[in-house]
Amino acid sequence: MQAEVTRHGHSQLEAAMAHLSDLIGFDTTSAYSNLEIISHIETFLTHWGCETTVLPDTSGNKANLVARLGPKDVPGIVLSGHTDVVPARPASWASAPFTMEQRGSRLFGRGTCDMKGFLACMLAAVPAFSQGQLSRPFYFCFSHDEEVGCQGAPAIARYLAALDTPPALAIIGEPSEMQLVTGQKGKVAMTVTVHGDGGHSSFAPQHVNAVEYASRIIEMVSQRSRRYEREGPFDHDFTVPHSTALTTLVEGGIATNVTPDTCRFTFELRSIDQASAEADMQALIADVEQALLPEMQRQADKAGIEWRELFSYPAMSDASDTDIFKRIEPILPDRGGKVSYGSEGGVFEIEGGIPSLIIGPGSIRQAHKTDEFIEIDQLSQCLTFFDTLNDWMRH
Ligand SMILES: [Zn+2]
């Protein structure tokens, strides 16, 4: 347990728990506005001497927040987390999802683990960060819409990259049980609509069967995945050590005796950092169109394949070779490999040129679940790490 006492006379851990309770109280499901939580956080950070910048999105309903503490002419360290959470169905929860509840050593509530626990620790540490002189600045970043495809983070990354002195490293607080994660897969999710030419099924050869053409595309997706498994590239730090591809949703046809004229399906490509999901997707689309479009259109002019990208985010590559990593490594937690879930790390790296790591409290196994919780000890470990980081920022 963290015994250190802040200026307010509360222990830092108590402060983190109080902040977390406040943050859970904002229902920031990605479908809703996050402006209230951003304003709540901004008020607190301004009080402790941070210079804040709000970056609204084009709808005006969402915003990112960037706050700097410390000198602006020295490369700093980013601590970043998303403010949105995945939906919760209150009826299936043991306690109200947007009211934090402590039961034993655990704090329950939507977002306790993913990832308001990290945000709460950041806020609880700010009074200590703001004491005396920092030699390097902190950039505290709070994004919108991470859970629906990292939509907010690109604007933060571009804002930071455009500063006279951009930050040197970003620490993304996704739940990693406070282990150091040095890689994350990239992903592209795509919805495909195959347009054929329908009719009475007894005239099958005269029509373009959209379901059958969709099944041939699905087979090409599956073949690609088997090729990744066989040929790599491989990185055994990932639990699944290669890229993957799979189809996840299919719908098509209207009746047993009608040749279907439409079939829609969704698939994803997930890539390790030596590959690019975007580039692989373009190659797959070219292969499919070359193999199938001519014969489809020979039979029916209106036949075709429509591709709609649902979302994409880049992989986060291993920052271990960078100078900043080598300097900060002595204070970083133990390595916990690389992860196959998404994070904003790849966005900071690709959009902002800022090498990134994942270190955050809580376990990804509790994220996105009914009765989501975080162990109080995880918050405590995060605060201890911030304490060490605070010392490092001063020399
Ligand atoms: Zn998250």
Side-chain angles (χ1 to χ4, degrees):
M1 288 273 161
Q2 188 84 5
E4 192 183 322
V5 171
T6 69
R7 235 206 281 212
H8 282 337
H10 296 292
S11 82
Q12 255 190 2
L13 182 59
E14 282 169 12
M17 287 165 63
H19 279 298
L20 185 53
S21 175
D22 289 347
L23 298 178
I24 296 302
F26 294 91
D27 178 353
T28 53
T29 307
S30 311
Y32 306 143
S33 170
N34 74 335
L35 296 182
E36 280 184 27
I37 200 171
I38 289 290
S39 149
H40 168 84
I41 294 170
E42 188 189 18
T43 304
F44 179 82
L45 293 177
T46 308
H47 173 81
W48 287 100
C50 297
E51 196 170 292
T52 60
T53 306
V54 174
L55 303 169
D57 80 341
T58 49
S59 77
N61 262 331
K62 306 284 185 107
N64 298 309
L65 173 66
V66 178
R68 193 195 75 248
L69 186 67
K72 65 173 163 192
D73 52 353
V74 183
I77 301 294
V78 173
L79 299 180
S80 182
H82 58 83
T83 57
D84 63 319
V85 296
V86 295
R89 282 210 326 272
S92 45
W93 281 59
S95 57
F98 296 103
T99 305
M100 190 179 84
E101 187 172 291
Q102 179 174 358
R103 300 203 287 277
S105 63
R106 295 171 172 178
L107 303 170
F108 288 82
R110 173 55 85 223
T112 45
C113 167
D114 186 10
M115 57 182 288
K116 290 175 173 173
F118 180 79
L119 305 186
C121 289
M122 233 198 278
L123 299 184
V126 161
F129 290 162
S130 71
Q131 303 294 302
Q133 288 296 312
L134 288 164
S135 324
R136 305 177 174 86
F138 281 107
Y139 290 88
F140 309 117
C141 300
F142 304 85
S143 64
H144 66 84
D145 288 320
E146 190 268 354
E147 297 290 5
V148 286
C150 295
Q151 293 181 24
I156 297 182
R158 288 194 291 265
Y159 169 84
L160 293 172
L163 295 174
D164 288 340
T165 311
L169 181 76
I171 296 173
I172 317 295
E174 284 289 337
S176 74
E177 297 177 81
M178 288 310 295
Q179 290 187 316
L180 166 62
V181 170
T182 52
Q184 157 244 308
K185 285 185 179 176
K187 175 175 166 176
V188 183
M190 184 76 80
T191 291
V192 185
T193 308
V194 178
H195 298 284
D197 170 40
H200 197 287
S201 59
S202 59
F203 292 101
Q206 295 172 19
H207 299 290
V208 175
N209 185 329
V211 166
E212 290 189 2
Y213 276 102
S215 79
R216 288 167 68 179
I217 304 173
I218 290 169
E219 175 54 21
M220 290 175 81
V221 171
S222 172
Q223 274 170 12
R224 181 162 279 268
S225 199
R226 293 197 292 273
R227 197 170 81 208
Y228 291 141
E229 263 181 72
R230 251 187 349 259
E231 297 169 18
F234 296 103
D235 181 341
H236 290 278
D237 285 342
F238 285 103
T239 43
V240 176
H242 49 76
S243 302
T244 54
L246 79 157
T247 301
T248 49
L249 292 167
V250 188
E251 63 172 317
I254 53 164
T256 50
N257 55 356
V258 178
T259 301
D261 67 355
T262 309
C263 183
R264 185 176 292 119
F265 64 95
T266 297
F267 74 100
E268 65 165 50
L269 292 183
R270 234 171 242 267
S271 62
I272 62 171
D273 55 355
Q274 295 124 286
S276 154
E278 288 279 4
D280 284 7
M281 181 62 79
Q282 290 315 313
L284 177 68
I285 290 174
D287 285 355
V288 166
E289 291 192 337
Q290 200 189 355
L292 303 181
L293 263 189
E295 68 173 74
M296 288 170 76
Q297 288 174 344
R298 239 188 336 265
Q299 197 152 15
D301 289 344
K302 64 172 188 172
I305 305 167
E306 206 182 306
W307 308 85
R308 191 168 66 84
E309 186 178 298
L310 287 176
F311 62 81
S312 67
Y313 52 77
M316 179 182 90
S317 59
D318 196 332
S320 304
D321 289 337
T322 59
D323 286 347
I324 180 68
F325 183 90
K326 286 170 189 158
R327 270 183 283 145
I328 202 171
E329 191 177 11
I331 67 152
L332 296 178
D334 292 340
R335 281 175 189 259
K338 298 180 179 180
V339 295
S340 299
Y341 62 79
S343 90
E344 296 174 337
V347 176
F348 278 88
E349 185 193 328
I350 301 293
E351 299 276 346
I354 305 167
S356 303
L357 310 168
I358 297 172
I359 303 171
S363 162
I364 197 69
R365 285 189 294 276
Q366 270 90 52
H368 299 196
K369 287 199 138 174
T370 299
D371 295 326
E372 177 179 346
F373 69 85
I374 192 164
E375 292 284 352
I376 294 171
D377 182 60
Q378 287 287 309
L379 299 180
S380 193
Q381 286 186 37
C382 186
L383 291 169
T384 304
F385 170 60
F386 283 164
D387 233 23
T388 321
L389 180 61
N390 191 20
D391 288 343
W392 187 85
M393 299 293 275
R394 285 155 203 275
H395 65 248

